[in-house]
């Protein structure tokens, strides 16, 4: 949600896309937009998102070159079912 809020507030984007998949014990989210780029972890919103992702042993990546597009990728570990099998 934080990533989409940032798109609306800062990206000057006309399109955004969210993709969610789950496999190999990971939940993968990708949020992309066609805005002007320049997003980084220096702001409190994305820094807070990175901290929340890290708190559950997840990984956050940001690609946002000047001129765009911005792509934020998040990988979160899925809980294992009872019995330890995926």
């Amino acid at each position: 949600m934080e990533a989409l809020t940032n798109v609306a507030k800062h990206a000057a984007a006309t399109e955004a896309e969210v993709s969610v998949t789950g496999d190999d014990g990971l939940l993968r989210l990708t949020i992309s937009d066609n805005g002007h780029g320049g997003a980084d972890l220096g702001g409190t919103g994305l820094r807070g998102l990175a901290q929340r992702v890290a708190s559950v042993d997840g990984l956050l990546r940001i690609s946002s070159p000047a001129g765009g597009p911005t792509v934020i990728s998040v990988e979160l570990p899925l809980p294992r079912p009872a019995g330890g099998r995926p």
Side-chain angles (χ1 to χ4, degrees):
M1 195 65 161
E2 180 76 35
L4 289 175
T5 299
N6 285 348
V7 170
K9 284 184 175 181
H10 306 294
T14 59
E15 295 180 10
E17 183 176 325
V18 177
S19 170
V20 180
T21 61
D23 58 19
D24 298 327
L26 291 173
L27 178 67
R28 292 183 176 91
L29 298 98
T30 304
I31 302 96
S32 59
D33 68 61
N34 67 346
H36 55 72
D40 64 43
L41 292 173
T44 57
L46 288 177
R47 186 175 44 232
L49 180 58
Q51 290 170 340
R52 291 190 298 275
V53 168
S55 75
V56 293
D57 297 324
L59 178 64
L60 180 132
R61 293 182 189 104
I62 298 174
S63 173
S64 187
T70 296
V71 179
I72 298 174
S73 302
V74 178
E75 292 183 354
L76 301 171
L78 291 171
R80 297 197 178 268
R85 291 186 168 182

